[in-house]
Amino acid sequence: MLKKIKKIIKKCIGKQNIFCMIRIKYICDKTYNNHKFINILKTIQKTKFYSNSKNKTGFSKLVKNIKIKDLKENENFYYNIDMFSVLVTPNEVMGNFCIDYSLFIENSLEELKNKISSKNNDFYMEELELINGIEIYLDRIIEKLKISKKYDVITNLENIKNCKAQSYTDALQRILFFNMLLWQTNHRLNGLGRLDKILIDYYDYDIKNGLLTKEKAKELLKEFLIILHRDFKIKSNVLLGDTGQIIEVGGIDINNNYLCNDLTYLFIELMEELKLPDPKVLVRASKYMPKELISESLKCILTGIGCPIFANDDVIIDKLINFGYDKEAAYNYGTSACWEPYIIGMSSAQNNIGSLNFMQPFIDLLENEDLSKFNNLDDLIDKYQTYLKKFVENLVLKINEITFEKDSLLSLCIANCVKDGKDISLGGAKYNNFGLTGVGLANVVNSMINIDEFIFKKNIMSFEKFNDIRKENFKNNDELLKKLKSNGLRYGEDNDMVVSLANKIICYTSKILENKRNSLNGKFKFGVSSPNYISDSKNFPASFDGRKIGEPFSVHISTDKSNGYTELVNFASRIDYNFNRFNGNVVDFFVTPNFIKDNFDKFIDFLIASIKVGFFEMQMNVVSSKKLIEARKNPDKFPNLVVRVWGFSAYFKDLPDEYKDYLIERALKNEGAI
Amino acid sequence: MMKDKVIVSSIQRFSLHDGPGIRTTIFFKGCNLKCPWCSNPENINFNIQEYFDGNERKYYGYEISLSDLEKEILKDKIYYENGGGVTFSGGDGLLPFKKIEPLLQKLQKEKINICVETSLVVSDELVNIAIKYVDTFIVDLKIIDEKNAYKINTNVSLYKKNIEKLFSNNCNVIFRIPLVPDYTYTVDNVSKILNFLKKYKPQLVQIFKLHRLGEKKYESLNMKMPEFKEITLEEINKLKEKIEILGIKVEYCQI
Ligand code: SF4
């Protein structure tokens, strides 16, 4: 075990990925002695660790010692993650959220302190200590910057302490400063929120009063995005690029007016210009949005960076309200990590706290039941539901064992922790609903359709025999495998039977979760798109949809068919996302760049219609299989090729081979080549 | 076959090249012509045809009732909003028009834009029905020289008569010209085509060269797709210019 850990650490340090080390520590803490582990780390690397002691929090020690860097002449913002100063956090730190940065733009630390200082208990004492620590940190940065005479930046940093943001640049600096703090303190998957909405007043004011030109505003925003991208390797979660840095733009308000301003377009324009995989933009789409915004978004998508993705306000907001979120909060939704809707600044939602692998209970059924008993699809579905229930209940139990790290910083950021004097890790947030991400639903549906067709209807062999062949990975049964893969009806088709089968499973899952409560007394929600289509399928048994052992599960809401876009969107819009089923449901497809280029206007028509039809979310990979295959062979020739992976984009060259191969396979399928 | 059923070989949704907007294209089986370069050889014969894909027995064509066909077409209604709709193709999309007239009535009522892709070598009766319902005719313009008509089994005088009828009824017509050396692309035929276009001034002409994407389908039907001379890009551009000089919009379609 020790050897194995050392090996992993070495690998991580090779990449200078200290945050990855921290994650390994989480895993090891369960089985391993914490201190011993830190010692190992210490000897390998000159990392400084800051943990809580009797009279000091790790954070207060960290801010006094953390490395401050100087700025270069052309830099307008301070942002520096010191990856060799690590806060020791023995429990799981809450991640996967999106704070409301306007809290810090509209309030100075002084004002935040005033709200706290009148109260007197441990929670508030810790919050005060935190703010004092932040002030110490700011002072240290300011001292350093005095040497290089960065007076503009110094003023903005001083303002954080004393007054609300005074300008567009000031507001951008605040977002960066608090974002940096969150990363520095082990918070993963940091969403950025509705920045066009948050920043527009500052932008408008400065432009109107001649304090800022549009060109300068663009330059600053560009620098802002590049800074956020800079540390993407240490910010990444599972794969490189998976940082959760999503910026939402656009969106309807409570009166169905579509919010869209210069900054909305500027974010998209910069995405197109910079072609960075991260941070990424999500456009909140609606039938009320201007066509021009769709057109600009499509131009950006055409660069192939997999961004923006679309979230459909006309579908999502109602679901959030029905689930129990306040109307205003629901209209102001953002996303955490990939695409899971998240109530900005008010929620402890751990939106991908568990993987809901729909295939697992199906395999359990096949392993444990006497298959000769089944002679129709309804019986099979009924039995599947029993196994699904067991599976989900176990998953919930496991999740509820997780203890979260006490977290003064996140508690300061998220309503109502400060108001109620309760730490977020103990349920202080206004909303505490956790999210599961569903994977393998398509494989279950397609398996059931095949069993129905070949066993119950055509009776080509017994169910047991069929299962034996599956268990043997369809060895010497290529003809059958081909049939299973190409059976007419598939998940993703707007066929009544397929839709109702998918909905039946989803609605049942929903019912199982309905009365379950998490450790913070919140509810559970789930969605049918998940990052785990490759990780969960590794070594996973073969399935009747024609998937062999270890082959990836289907991706999100997708289809094997080429050009089946309207069909797929229609299917997606017929999936029932009500109640607790809104935790990310993304339609995902491939398009070749030429296809969009040659049909640009028609593709816009398609997007407009699709929003009306009612997809939940949509993302696409705009790339040809030819390019991917070339890049797989000669990665050096395509260093900047960006692709969409799950809820994030990444450099193709940075991906593990199995992801590269799967992307190529999907691109070929889309082009009708296989 | 039941009276209200037709044979289609496939239904292609999200079709972007068979008329304006986003369309659903219905491929019927059956055509009166026999163009040796046909890219849909499986649609020439009027009946369902068996073939083998490896060892697997498969069929070109299946029966579908008019009401199911209607359902399929209406599935994408929302996507048709900006000028899109349904395109009947084939084979010859116009040939089953008598049979599908009840469907055409319904589609017209639903305000679905209707296009048809046709050789227009069809009976007067069918043309009369089509005029009532079709918004845009996409008509092949191939060999219009009587003495070579046999090469594709066409009937030039019938074709010309039908064209005359469409234009005298002010129908929207798009011409499609496949450029095949020795067949449609001969000095004589091209000059006849130019005269023809000059006379009718259609809203759009689409020209394209042959592709061999249908080759596998020929093989599956135990047929061999003949070899053809290729037309050069220079020749294509020259012809394009000549048509443009007539004041007609031309598109060169690369498949
Ligand atoms: S008219 Fe069209 S469908 Fe008929 S044979 Fe000629 S190319 Fe094929």
Side-chain angles (χ1 to χ4, degrees), chain B residues 30-41 43-44 90-92 118-119 140 142 152:
Chain B
C31 181
N32 288 338
L33 270 56
K34 227 176 176 334
C35 313
W37 61 81
C38 181
S39 55
N40 297 320
N43 290 343
I44 299 180
D92 192 322
T118 173
S119 68
D140 290 346
K142 292 191 270 217
I152 58 170

Side-chain angles (χ1 to χ4, degrees), chain A residues 307-417:
Chain A
C307 144
I309 86 163
F310 297 106
N312 194 348
D313 282 7
D314 304 337
V315 174
I316 294 175
I317 292 172
D318 271 357
K319 312 285 180 259
L320 297 175
I321 295 171
N322 289 341
F323 183 69
Y325 295 117
D326 284 353
K327 200 168 172 185
E328 214 170 301
Y331 272 87
N332 193 38
Y333 81 95
T335 57
S336 64
C338 302
W339 43 61
E340 298 85 355
Y342 176 91
I343 302 300
I344 296 180
M346 296 186 177
S347 176
S348 67
Q350 298 298 290
N351 271 342
N352 57 8
I353 198 158
S355 176
L356 176 50
N357 180 352
F358 287 98
M359 269 312 287
Q360 187 59 58
F362 196 63
I363 295 292
D364 294 344
L365 178 156
L366 297 172
E367 297 293 330
N368 294 307
E369 289 297 316
D370 171 7
L371 300 181
S372 64
K373 279 189 326 207
F374 297 102
N375 44 32
N376 63 62
L377 189 58
D378 287 341
D379 289 352
L380 185 66
I381 296 173
D382 281 352
K383 209 23 135 203
Y384 172 68
Q385 291 183 341
T386 325
Y387 279 85
L388 182 63
K389 186 162 185 262
K390 240 191 273 169
F391 174 79
V392 171
E393 283 173 349
N394 277 333
L395 184 62
V396 166
L397 282 179
K398 258 188 234 151
I399 291 168
N400 284 350
E401 282 170 10
I402 301 173
T403 309
F404 294 102
E405 185 72 16
K406 253 174 114 189
D407 199 330
S408 335
L409 179 57
L410 205 53
S411 299
L412 181 69
C413 300
I414 302 286
N416 296 335
C417 301

